[in-house]
Amino acid sequence: MTTSAIKSQKTLVSTDLGKDQIKLKHIIKSLPKECFQKNSRKAWTTIILSLSMAALGYYFLAISPWFLLPIAWIFTGTALTGFFVIGHDCGHRSFANRRWVNDLVGHIFMMPLIYPFHSWRIGHNHHHKHTNKLEEDNAWHPIRPEVFASWGKNRQSAFEFFMRKRLWWIGSIGHWAVVHFDARKFKPKDQASVKLSVAVVLIFAAVVFPTLIITTGVWGFIKYWFIPWMVYHFWMSTFTIVHHTAADVPFSPADKWNAALAQLSGTIHCDYPRWIEILCHDINVHVPHHISTAIPSYNLRLAYDSIKQNWQPYLHDECQFSWQLMKDITDNCQLYYTGVGYKTFDEYYAGK
């Protein structure tokens, strides 16, 4: 769709409403209808792309000399991140019209990552309902000083070490391990689905991991699964923290939280090298995904162009992925003071 066509789709622009009057339905109404249309060809093309790129990555791993393995690992792990994004669309029912197709494809593509599909789907939908809401957002939320003060010394030290040493890239591993495997943490109506998804990944691991070790040795397991899996978690952790974290991004208590503004201005668009965005199916064009999870990944750029046309004053500044960006986030966004914003550990200790 051309820029002029997007402009012609305007039914409501940001200047028509006061800041406190904006609701998600207003933003959704302003988007072109094409943004919400599922396209089977495009959807299955993402699968072909991810499968072929992962196969290419494993081929490189098999033939590469030792000094090229880091490049092959980065490429393969990034391709596997595309597997997660396909499962992500399935979890939001934006991959296919039939629920059973979404569930089947979601399980298949999250299975090699040992990610229980329904466990993630249920928890992740909670994140969308409570984005940037203090105490409720379960994807990434800042730690308030009073919460930090209530922790024991060991837990405080561990969190400080995590932030000061810039270990954000392993954050999603802890979230994966703690949240997704215990059905008791979910509502009774969801527990059967969670148990099914956990069983799927455990059966996969019970069959594939021993087979891989028997045929390629322990080093083969590390080379072909564990390190690419760690690269995947690097991107999973990075995407998660960058999507909603900057020194000026507010987290609000429930009584002051505005759903539309939280999704619109509390979600950050970050540009990554194009090869990463291709392999990860544009998941980093993240603002429209938070406006409506019904938008398939292949329509995110179209939707974002429209959002910029209509709602630019409320969008957070775009950023570009770099080591400096991650350094700024982990160095400055350490503890969150309600109504004030982020402060560092050093500022926290100085004020005691």
Side-chain angles (χ1 to χ4, degrees), residues 8-9 18 41 48 115 142 146 173 185 234 236 247 266 294 316 326 337:
S8 71
Q9 288 284 338
R41 178 183 59 81
I48 294 170
Y115 229 110
E146 55 268 34
I173 297 177
K185 295 182 178 180
F234 171 90
M236 185 79 167
H316 191 276
M326 304 314 299
Y337 288 69

Side-chain angles (χ1 to χ4, degrees), residues 52-76 223-224:
S52 58
M53 291 301 99
L56 182 62
Y58 282 115
Y59 174 73
F60 283 149
L61 282 176
I63 67 170
S64 291
W66 66 268
F67 54 87
L68 292 180
L69 282 177
I71 297 174
W73 280 323
I74 291 170
F75 181 87
T76 306
K223 176 181 176 180
Y224 291 110

Side-chain angles (χ1 to χ4, degrees), residues 72-100:
W73 280 323
I74 291 170
F75 181 87
T76 306
T78 307
L80 291 177
T81 308
F83 279 38
F84 180 85
V85 178
I86 291 171
H88 177 272
D89 267 18
C90 291
H92 288 302
R93 312 305 188 192
S94 61
F95 179 84
N97 289 318
R98 290 183 172 86
R99 177 167 292 192
W100 72 266

